[in-house]
Amino acid sequence: MVNVWPGSPYPLGARWDGRGTNFAVFSESAEAVQLCLFNRDGFELRLQMQEQTAFIWHCYLPGVGPGQRYGYRLHGPYEPSNGLRFNPAKLLIDPYAKAIDGEVQWDPSVFAYQLGEDDLTINNDDSAPRIPKSIVVNPFFDWGDERPPRTPWHETVIYETHVRGISMLHPEVEPELRGTYAGLSSPVVIDYLKSLGVTAVELLPVHHFVQDHHLVEKGLRNYWGYNTIGFLAPHGDYAAHGTVGEQVYEFKSMVKDLHAAGLEVILDVVYNHTAEGNHMGPTLSFRGVDNMSYYRVVDGDRRHYMDYTGTGNSLNARNPHVLQLIMDSLRYWVSEMHVDGFRFDLASTLARELHDVERLSAFFDLIQQDPIVSQVKLIAEPWDVGEGGYQVGNFPVLWTEWNGKYRDTVRDYWRGEVPGLGEVASRLSGSSDLYAHNGRRPYASINFITAHDGFTMRDLVSYNSKHNEANLDDNTSGEDHNRSWNHGTEGETDAPDVLRLRARQQRNMLATLFLSQGVPMLLGGDEFGRTQHGNNNVYCQDNELSWYDWDLSAQQRDLLAFTRRLIRLRRRHPVFRRQKFFRGEVREGMQDVDWMRPDGTAMTAEDWNRGAVLALMFFLNGQAIPTPDERGRRVQDDSFLVLMNATPDTVVFTLPDEEYGKSWKIVMDTENPGSARADRGRELVTGETVDLVERSFVLIRRLDDARDD
């Protein structure tokens, strides 16, 4: 016999207080709600929830504690044409579950309608044996003296990675920990991240997600995780030690260890849609709890969903209870799980009040005024697939953005298809044209050239076309082409000249990324030339194609050393990570940045208006930006010349007049990343020339005020 007390409507979800558990679930339209408890053998006990406060059904069960499996059954009309899809035969995952145990076992019973017919015919088969169970968790954790690193934005270097992929093949990670939260936070992986020099890991989705039906049928698995079903639950499959609450403890331990190493944790979060898909999808949670509240339905056609994401449904961020869920989730991950920020997948979807994207929608208003969420790192993927969804530069002042224009411009420049010199200069200098108008700084621009969604950097320079045959979809997924990166040779090759060019192109893009104004984001593995063999959409490849291969060749080790050196340069020299945009300020007779032609003279209006300028030079005046050091003292930085040649020919650059400096030294050269270059190490003086071979990048430091590296 289980005692059922009235309990409280808040907090939503299951909350253990040391003596019992309070259960609370929102549903505006349900007629009755049953709380279903399960033992380890699957036996189900159904309890009627009698109390309802402001559309929240609630009860308290003394003696019920951590590890308890549970779910809900909601009673009400099944009228899809009216947007109502209640079906008590379907066990539902708690939208506020803190942990979820098990995977969906695909069977006709998990659908609320009869498969093979339209969705208007109800299916009364019980889905409970095939639905994951929500878990009551222990919220207590010994954080000790853990403190968040709180790395300033302008000092941040982001490493986009995957919990499973980074450690799955690592020979020095204990086998039982590979592919888990514990594997990511193992000493060898943390030491690697620290030695690389990054300051934050941005993790692909760790909210509990569902293995897609169509992938399971093909023998594939969802690897990326953009198929969320639990916004407060860490994905159980990434836990090494169990899934009935252990995943929560393990995730917290991972964050604690990463923080101890000075590394921040940023989560890629997917609040724009759920794993239930369109009107023909399964009933797993939200659809059966309150379909009309949780999802955007078509005006005048409540049977069907608005789809701004290409996944079948869009979460209804106009509904106050859905906004509450999103905000409660964000606060939970900050307050209870101690994460340092979020990257919002297809963030434009969350800004759609009616149809158009509204910059000051309710969602952004809530973020702005929230005392917890407003204080962490907020990154928008500023687009969705709906009309008007491309919103780069239009997010509010607290936000940073994945800068898709930076990605496209840098790629075009190094492939020799520059859109215009002004566009190149804007992207390299922080994209003030996108972010300065509303008070944002250069670090509003999250600069990236590659990300999980697309080619790796090595594949970017090696393939003209995608090779996604392993996805078993006739190579239809992913972008269609890569616009002539390989310069005549497609795919794998042993040709020495081609390999040298590809290696140099990778170094060119890495150098551009880390020496541009803004916040660099490195796709994990690009630092050593990770390949996916031409597959630019490995969302369903949970295997060696996606996992990091740590058996590095000599060339890969060289690229890794080059990347580490670039990150050290950026960290040491504030001139590469300014906190303010260039303003043409003059110090010692020079502007904070000066753009020049290869002959060392100033750019003319005609130069700026020409479209195909592929060889350029610019001067970064380190004396123009006194910057606080770690003790708060105002210090000046070194000054640099950046030389870039994206042409297919050698270009001769001439060092500028003495007003820019009397002596110089080459400190980085993508043609010879080691010390093979003859003029590296010796001083260069005004008027001397430097030859840049085809598609190469050289960084030269002024010695007049240089410090030792």
Side-chain angles (χ1 to χ4, degrees):
M1 184 68 179
V2 176
N3 291 324
V4 181
W5 296 358
S8 170
Y10 290 102
L12 286 160
R15 179 72 175 183
W16 180 62
D17 61 10
R19 296 184 178 181
T21 301
N22 192 82
F23 294 88
V25 60
F26 157 77
S27 181
E28 182 173 351
S29 302
E31 296 173 352
V33 177
Q34 291 175 309
L35 171 63
C36 307
L37 305 182
F38 294 84
N39 65 15
R40 293 183 178 180
D41 297 325
F43 174 78
E44 178 182 357
L45 175 64
R46 301 183 186 182
L47 303 172
Q48 203 73 24
M49 300 182 78
Q50 302 290 348
E51 300 295 326
Q52 184 189 25
T53 304
F55 303 126
I56 296 175
W57 301 75
H58 52 91
C59 68
Y60 181 90
L61 303 183
V64 171
Q68 176 64 58
R69 295 170 171 87
Y70 73 98
Y72 292 106
R73 297 180 186 272
L74 276 80
H75 298 252
Y78 185 79
E79 300 174 358
S81 296
N82 293 321
L84 300 173
R85 294 178 177 269
F86 293 104
N87 186 337
K90 310 307 164 188
L91 185 76
L92 304 175
I93 299 168
D94 183 358
Y96 274 77
K98 303 296 196 307
I100 298 172
D101 176 43
E103 291 188 359
V104 175
Q105 298 174 30
W106 290 105
D107 179 87
S109 65
V110 304
F111 296 85
Y113 63 94
Q114 294 289 344
L115 281 181
E117 302 182 26
D118 60 36
D119 60 316
L120 301 178
T121 305
I122 194 167
N123 175 355
N124 292 315
D125 295 338
D126 185 11
S127 70
R130 297 169 179 85
I131 294 293
K133 306 305 184 286
S134 306
I135 302 295
V136 177
V137 304
N138 184 345
F140 304 108
F141 180 80
D142 182 8
W143 287 99
D145 59 356
E146 177 267 350
R147 293 186 179 183
R150 298 194 184 281
T151 306
W153 262 125
H154 69 283
E155 296 178 5
T156 297
V157 177
I158 298 172
Y159 188 80
E160 190 196 30
T161 190
H162 190 284
V163 169
R164 186 167 173 82
I166 193 172
S167 67
M168 197 64 190
L169 297 177
H170 203 299
E172 297 179 55
V173 174
E174 296 178 30
E176 64 272 18
L177 302 184
R178 294 174 186 168
T180 69
Y181 302 118
L184 173 58
S185 61
S186 62
V188 65
V189 175
I190 287 181
D191 288 347
Y192 174 80
L193 295 170
K194 289 290 292 180
S195 70
L196 183 58
V198 298
T199 68
V201 289
E202 181 175 306
L203 303 179
L204 267 68
V206 299
H207 289 173
H208 195 90
F209 61 88
V210 171
Q211 294 297 328
D212 313 58
H213 187 202
H214 74 280
L215 294 180
V216 173
E217 287 184 319
K218 294 178 179 180
L220 301 172
R221 289 181 65 81
N222 189 314
Y223 176 64
W224 285 349
Y226 292 91
N227 204 29
T228 306
I229 201 64
F231 293 121
L232 288 87
H235 188 58
D237 196 40
Y238 297 156
H241 303 296
T243 58
V244 287
E246 293 89 349
Q247 61 266 57
V248 177
Y249 180 89
E250 193 172 319
F251 184 91
K252 290 179 178 179
S253 297
M254 177 194 72
V255 173
K256 183 178 179 180
D257 291 342
L258 289 167
H259 281 181
L263 294 165
E264 292 186 306
V265 179
I266 298 171
L267 301 186
D268 192 334
V269 290
V270 189
Y271 294 113
N272 53 72
H273 74 279
T274 78
E276 292 183 299
N278 64 18
H279 63 291
M280 303 298 285
T283 294
L284 308 175
S285 178
F286 309 93
R287 174 176 285 136
V289 171
D290 196 322
N291 184 67
M292 283 292 293
S293 292
Y294 280 111
Y295 293 120
R296 290 282 298 271
V297 296
V298 176
D299 291 339
D301 180 12
R302 293 181 174 183
R303 179 182 173 187
H304 297 100
Y305 299 110
M306 297 296 296
D307 182 11
Y308 295 114
T309 65
T311 59
N313 64 56
S314 298
L315 212 64
N316 186 14
R318 300 181 299 181
N319 185 287
H321 293 281
V322 178
L323 284 171
Q324 180 184 7
L325 169 63
I326 296 173
M327 294 306 299
D328 285 348
S329 170
L330 293 170
R331 279 190 292 267
Y332 175 78
W333 286 98
V334 176
S335 299
E336 298 291 330
M337 308 295 262
H338 288 207
V339 305
D340 304 282
F342 305 96
R343 178 265 190 188
F344 292 80
D345 178 67
L346 300 180
S348 293
T349 301
L350 299 172
R352 290 183 182 272
E353 286 283 347
L354 297 174
H355 175 73
D356 294 334
V357 176
E358 298 289 343
R359 188 174 65 88
L360 297 179
S361 70
F363 173 69
F364 295 122
D365 291 344
L366 288 173
I367 294 286
Q368 178 73 37
Q369 59 81 40
D370 190 274
I372 295 173
V373 181
S374 65
Q375 301 305 302
V376 300
K377 288 181 165 67
L378 302 171
I379 306 171
E381 183 184 32
W383 49 78
D384 63 21
V385 301
E387 182 181 353
Y390 191 78
Q391 293 292 317
V392 172
N394 290 330
F395 277 68
V397 68
L398 281 181
W399 290 71
T400 66
E401 302 175 17
W402 271 26
N403 190 342
K405 292 187 176 181
Y406 178 93
R407 172 200 59 203
D408 297 342
T409 298
V410 172
R411 286 186 178 192
D412 285 347
Y413 175 79
W414 285 114
R415 66 162 56 98
E417 299 179 8
V418 64
L421 183 57
E423 180 74 10
V424 174
S426 293
R427 303 304 150 238
L428 300 183
S429 57
S431 296
S432 61
D433 58 323
L434 299 177
Y435 303 116
H437 66 280
N438 65 352
R440 288 194 280 178
R441 301 289 187 88
Y443 46 75
S445 176
I446 306 297
N447 297 332
F448 70 105
I449 300 171
T450 53
H452 69 274
D453 189 3
F455 288 107
T456 66
M457 192 171 290
R458 177 172 167 181
D459 290 354
L460 182 70
V461 303
S462 302
Y463 294 88
N464 275 347
S465 304
K466 63 185 180 182
H467 292 272
N468 300 350
E469 292 81 5
N471 295 359
L472 304 181
D473 59 1
D474 296 323
N475 201 29
T476 58
S477 62
E479 61 185 74
D480 290 332
H481 56 80
N482 198 23
R483 291 165 52 188
S484 301
W485 263 100
N486 60 52
H487 311 299
T489 302
E490 169 81 359
E492 308 296 332
T493 180
D494 294 325
D497 290 346
V498 175
L499 291 175
R500 281 195 295 270
L501 176 58
R502 291 178 181 177
R504 188 161 67 247
Q505 285 283 49
Q506 290 177 75
R507 291 192 291 268
N508 290 337
M509 289 187 289
L510 288 167
T512 306
L513 177 66
F514 288 111
L515 302 182
S516 294
Q517 305 300 322
V519 177
M521 186 188 78
L522 177 69
L523 172 62
D526 277 355
E527 70 274 17
F528 57 76
R530 183 172 69 89
T531 180
Q532 294 170 174
H533 303 291
N535 191 317
N536 68 356
N537 191 28
V538 295
Y539 79 102
C540 60
Q541 299 297 325
D542 189 3
N543 51 48
E544 289 85 352
L545 189 63
S546 301
W547 303 338
Y548 296 23
D549 182 356
W550 294 100
D551 184 15
L552 306 184
S553 67
Q555 186 180 58
Q556 287 179 301
R557 291 193 294 272
D558 288 344
L559 183 59
L560 176 58
F562 179 78
T563 307
R564 285 171 170 156
R565 188 157 176 265
L566 282 171
I567 297 175
R568 285 198 301 271
L569 268 170
R570 180 181 182 85
R571 181 174 64 245
R572 178 167 174 78
H573 296 288
V575 73
F576 300 122
R577 45 182 175 83
R578 289 172 54 98
Q579 298 184 57
K580 297 181 179 179
F581 289 109
F582 294 114
R583 298 177 178 175
E585 297 171 345
V586 176
R587 291 288 182 96
E588 299 183 353
M590 296 168 293
Q591 294 190 109
D592 47 15
V593 61
D594 266 334
W595 299 85
M596 307 172 192
R597 302 189 302 191
D599 63 7
T601 61
M603 288 282 186
T604 65
E606 182 181 355
D607 293 323
W608 285 109
N609 291 327
R610 280 193 296 155
V613 177
L614 294 172
L616 70 151
M617 174 166 55
F618 59 96
F619 173 76
L620 293 172
N621 186 357
Q623 303 297 295
I625 51 165
T627 304
D629 64 9
E630 63 275 6
R631 297 183 181 180
R633 298 171 300 187
R634 306 291 287 185
V635 296
Q636 292 179 317
D637 194 17
D638 298 342
S639 298
F640 291 86
L641 281 171
V642 177
L643 285 59
M644 302 171 65
N645 175 23
T647 75
D649 304 303
T650 296
V651 173
V652 178
F653 285 78
T654 302
L655 299 187
D657 294 341
E658 283 192 0
E659 64 177 306
Y660 291 96
K662 297 180 181 179
S663 60
W664 305 83
K665 179 181 178 182
I666 295 175
V667 295
M668 190 275 297
D669 176 5
T670 62
E671 178 197 7
N672 293 296
S675 57
R677 189 180 180 110
D679 54 5
R680 183 174 175 186
R682 73 175 175 86
E683 293 187 12
L684 305 173
V685 298
T686 299
E688 283 199 66
T689 59
V690 178
D691 295 347
L692 264 67
V693 300
E694 61 164 323
R695 301 181 178 91
S696 61
F697 183 121
V698 166
L699 180 68
I700 305 179
R701 183 173 60 181
R702 187 170 72 180
L703 295 181
D704 304 54
D705 46 20
R707 301 167 291 169
D708 292 333
D709 265 339

